[in-house]
Amino acid sequence: MILGSTITVLVGCVCIILGISNMQGNISSLHEYHRHRVSDDDVIPFGKLVGLGTIIIGASVIIFSISMLISHFTSLNYLLIIGTAVMFIGIAIGIAVSFYAMKKYNNGIF
């Protein structure tokens, strides 16, 4: 359980680091299709939106991991349900924000 939580926290941290990098205008972690379709003027706003979506995903995964760990060591099993809900909602919002940026600045997701 501790190993799983540690790995999940690390995945969340990697997402947050990538999101911060994207928000600073470094979109090299994105697919080549998206890098080439975004104009030079739109790299920063595109990176900020995609980065925000990635940070939301990373934060929700970390919240899930912490709630999973707390519920494992205590009898607060409802925290696992809340953490799972936060993770699913956060992932959905993060993907929606990223897809919105792709649609707005690339004129398409794929």
Side-chain angles (χ1 to χ4, degrees), residues 27-38:
I27 59 172
S28 63
S29 64
L30 300 177
H31 193 274
E32 182 179 359
Y33 170 83
H34 299 296
R35 291 192 309 255
H36 291 297
R37 299 237 359 204
V38 174

Side-chain angles (χ1 to χ4, degrees), residues 24-95:
Q24 294 173 343
N26 180 6
I27 59 172
S28 63
S29 64
L30 300 177
H31 193 274
E32 182 179 359
Y33 170 83
H34 299 296
R35 291 192 309 255
H36 291 297
R37 299 237 359 204
V38 174
S39 69
D40 291 338
D41 295 335
D42 290 336
V43 168
I44 297 294
F46 174 69
K48 285 184 178 184
L49 277 175
V50 172
L52 177 63
T54 308
I55 289 171
I56 291 170
I57 291 169
S60 67
V61 168
I62 290 172
I63 291 169
F64 165 73
S65 178
I66 291 170
S67 68
M68 180 174 60
L69 200 58
I70 291 172
S71 71
H72 177 71
F73 288 110
T74 65
S75 61
L76 304 174
N77 293 331
Y78 65 89
L79 284 179
L80 184 59
I81 296 169
I82 293 171
T84 302
V86 166
M87 183 181 69
F88 282 124
I89 292 169
I91 288 172
I93 291 171
I95 289 173

Side-chain angles (χ1 to χ4, degrees), residues 1-12 61 64-66 68-69 72-73:
M1 181 59 77
I2 294 175
L3 179 62
S5 293
T6 304
I7 291 171
T8 310
V9 166
L10 290 175
V11 168
V61 168
F64 165 73
S65 178
I66 291 170
M68 180 174 60
L69 200 58
H72 177 71
F73 288 110

